[in-house]
């Protein structure tokens, strides 16, 4: 008999944990690539992922400190990077593809004239009420077409950024190409970047020395809104979870169950397997062991932003542990019926839960000593505590 999980129970679980077989966290749209996959020497300082920008907070749509471009723009940027490396410089990218939701965030901020906490650093001489009129903020951005990049240069020998005369995203004439407000050396530094980018097929933006758009961009009229995020290597997570499970099952530690936890940056944080037999512990399932290990590694019970891969569909206990760990994305390999075919069945636990925990042959549950326990609860409520 196959596991029978009620629609209501599944719906309750799906609200808390996204369980999916074919979908994994984030997949980069076709035609787009990560800059660092194409240019291994590229440095990243993704300003809109953090607070060092003209708004002073992370911008909507920036879910990871990475940079994405169209394949064509990345290939052209590689040409520029190679030219610059021969001259002793690496490129440092501040921004590349920018989702429309980020542009919308800029617009909302520009309309809030009371929010000027970053004025001194980024627009000291500009009246915020004129940001639209002066062209600093607009409802559409070329970045959202995927072939525009903001960048500077770093000297390979020293690891220091070149002095460009003004910082990234500084609103004012000093940031313009051809400005007379900078020194000859600063102008020469800007020209090193400009000449390489133009030679690689990019066009300058006159008002921003850091801003370049591919002349022959593939999506000149299309504005995208997918998040700037990292697509973890699912195949690697699968490989390591299976490898770990195969090793321990052949040592008679437990069943063929492995799990891998991937953090928000796409790094495989922890890999574990089922060790019920070795540890004489019925809770030592792969997912629980992986959560315990990840918590120890991160020094926290809170695994928000992480994804868990499991070789089999998680049992009710593991699903609960996953939810308690604040993991909201689960990807699994084998289905419940696959596990049942080799002797593993947890359908009776699901039925017990669905029936309101009434079947005392599975588990007898009774209330006793509530008054004493309430006193304990009241004591706890008066303590300085962390609610998890």
């Amino acid at each position: 008999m196959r596991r029978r999980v009620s629609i209501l129970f599944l719906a309750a679980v799906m609200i808390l944990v996204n369980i999916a077989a074919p979908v994994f966290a984030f997949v980069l749209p076709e035609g787009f690539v990560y800059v660092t996959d194409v240019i291994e020497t590229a440095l990243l300082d993704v300003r809109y992922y953090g607070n060092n920008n003209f708004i002073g907070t992370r911008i909507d749509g920036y879910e990871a400190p990475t940079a994405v471009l169209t394949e064509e723009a990345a290939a052209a940027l590689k040409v520029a990077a190679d030219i610059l490396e021969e001259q002793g410089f690496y490129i440092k990218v501040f921004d590349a593809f920018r989702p429309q939701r980020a542009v919308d965030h800029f617009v909302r901020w520009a309309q809030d004239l009371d929010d000027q906490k970053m004025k001194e650093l980024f627009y000291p001489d500009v009246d915020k009420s004129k940001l639209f009129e002066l062209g600093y903020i607009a409802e559409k951005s070329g970045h959202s077409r995927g072939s525009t990049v903001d960048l500077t240069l770093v000297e390979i020998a020293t690891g220091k950024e070149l002095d460009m005369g003004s910082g990234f995203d500084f609103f004012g004439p000093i940031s313009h190409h051809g400005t007379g407000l900078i020194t000859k050396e600063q102008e020469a530094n800007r020209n090193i970047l400009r000449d390489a980018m133009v030679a690689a097929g990019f066009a300058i933006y006159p008002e921003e020395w850091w801003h370049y758009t591919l002349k022959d961009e593939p999506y000149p009229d299309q504005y995208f809104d997918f998040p700037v995020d990292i697509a973890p290597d699912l195949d690697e997570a699968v490989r390591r979870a299976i490898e770990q499970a195969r090793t321990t099952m052949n040592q008679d530690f437990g069943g063929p169950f492995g799990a891998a936890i991937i953090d928000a940056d796409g790094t495989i944080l922890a890999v574990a397997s089922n060790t019920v037999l070795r540890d004489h512990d019925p809770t030592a399932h792969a997912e629980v062991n992986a959560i315990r290990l990840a918590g120890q590694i991160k020094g926290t019970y809170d695994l928000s932003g992480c994804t868990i891969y499991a070789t089999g569909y998680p049992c009710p206990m593991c699903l609960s542990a996953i939810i308690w760990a604040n993991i909201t994305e689960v990807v699994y390999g084998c289905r419940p019926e696959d596990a049942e075919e080799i002797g593993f069945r947890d359908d009776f636990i699901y039925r017990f839960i669905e029936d309101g925990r009434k079947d005392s042959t599975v588990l007898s549950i009774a209330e006793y000593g509530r008054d004493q326990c309430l006193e304990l609860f009241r004591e706890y409520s008066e303590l300085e505590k962390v609610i998890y």
Side-chain angles (χ1 to χ4, degrees), residues 46-62 102 105-106 108-109 112 115 117-118 121-122 169:
V46 183
R47 295 292 185 84
Y48 299 141
Y49 179 74
N51 299 328
N52 186 16
N53 57 63
F54 61 86
I55 293 183
T57 189
R58 184 189 296 188
I59 305 304
D60 291 354
Y62 286 81
H105 190 166
F106 291 174
R108 292 195 305 274
W109 167 81
D112 180 5
D115 182 357
K117 67 179 180 179
M118 303 302 286
L121 293 177
F122 290 93
D169 260 357

Side-chain angles (χ1 to χ4, degrees), residues 36-341:
T36 50
D37 283 349
V38 178
I39 310 167
E40 294 183 359
T41 59
L43 305 173
L44 301 181
D45 181 10
V46 183
R47 295 292 185 84
Y48 299 141
Y49 179 74
N51 299 328
N52 186 16
N53 57 63
F54 61 86
I55 293 183
T57 189
R58 184 189 296 188
I59 305 304
D60 291 354
Y62 286 81
E63 304 298 331
T66 191
V68 172
L69 284 171
T70 62
E71 293 175 349
E72 294 83 352
L77 186 59
K78 176 68 163 62
V79 172
D82 289 344
I83 293 172
L84 291 162
E85 187 171 356
E86 290 180 359
Q87 299 176 50
F89 306 104
Y90 287 148
I91 63 170
K92 177 185 280 189
V93 177
F94 296 123
D95 193 30
F97 164 72
R98 183 183 304 162
Q100 181 59 46
R101 70 193 74 178
V103 179
D104 295 341
H105 190 166
F106 291 174
V107 170
R108 292 195 305 274
W109 167 81
Q111 292 170 338
D112 180 5
L113 300 183
D114 293 330
D115 182 357
Q116 302 200 27
K117 67 179 180 179
M118 303 302 286
K119 179 178 176 62
E120 183 178 349
L121 293 177
F122 290 93
Y123 54 102
D125 303 317
V126 178
D127 184 340
K128 188 177 180 181
S129 67
K130 296 183 178 179
L131 292 179
F132 289 103
E133 177 185 337
L134 296 174
Y136 291 115
I137 301 294
E139 294 184 353
K140 294 290 184 182
S141 169
H143 280 275
S144 302
R145 302 195 297 265
S147 294
T148 294
V149 60
D150 296 336
L151 73 167
T152 191
L153 298 178
V154 171
E155 190 173 34
I156 297 173
T158 65
K160 296 181 179 179
E161 288 185 21
L162 292 192
D163 182 1
M164 298 295 190
S166 70
F168 167 67
D169 260 357
F170 187 87
F171 299 174
I174 196 172
S175 296
H176 297 183
H177 283 281
T179 180
L181 300 175
I182 59 177
T183 67
K184 292 295 184 182
E185 181 182 358
Q186 292 165 341
E187 181 180 11
N189 290 340
R190 291 186 183 187
N191 291 344
I192 294 171
L193 175 60
R194 180 201 63 193
D195 292 346
M197 294 296 286
V198 171
F202 288 88
I204 69 170
Y205 181 59
E207 284 74 29
E208 297 175 351
W209 61 260
W210 56 82
H211 180 120
Y212 292 87
T213 299
L214 186 67
K215 290 180 180 177
D216 191 18
E217 58 181 312
Y219 306 108
D221 302 311
Q222 190 169 355
Y223 295 83
F224 297 90
D225 192 35
F226 59 86
V228 176
D229 206 346
I230 292 174
D233 188 345
L234 178 57
D235 290 336
E236 179 64 10
V238 172
R239 183 191 69 77
R240 291 181 59 181
I242 291 175
E243 182 181 75
Q244 178 75 11
R246 179 174 285 121
T247 297
T248 54
M249 78 177 188
N250 285 318
Q251 295 172 321
D252 291 328
F253 288 177
F257 304 107
I261 293 180
I262 303 95
D263 67 16
D265 293 329
T267 301
I268 295 176
L269 181 64
V271 180
S273 57
N274 183 296
T275 56
V276 168
L277 300 179
R278 184 196 68 182
D279 299 339
H280 309 294
D281 180 357
T283 71
H285 289 200
E287 298 91 331
V288 172
N289 285 343
I291 289 169
R292 289 169 176 166
L293 179 57
Q296 292 169 4
I297 291 172
K298 289 180 67 68
T300 178
Y301 60 87
D302 187 357
L303 300 180
S304 297
C306 290
T307 297
I308 188 166
Y309 174 80
T311 59
Y313 188 99
C315 73
M317 177 187 71
C318 291
L319 284 179
S320 297
I322 289 165
I323 293 170
W324 277 116
N326 293 324
I327 296 172
T328 57
E329 189 83 24
V330 177
V331 184
Y332 64 92
C334 287
R335 301 170 181 174
E337 56 263 34
D338 299 327
E340 183 178 343
E341 287 180 3

Side-chain angles (χ1 to χ4, degrees), residues 361-375:
T361 64
V362 175
L363 183 67
S364 174
I365 303 177
E367 180 183 301
Y368 184 79
R370 182 169 181 263
D371 290 341
Q372 297 96 310
C373 294
L374 279 175
E375 180 60 30

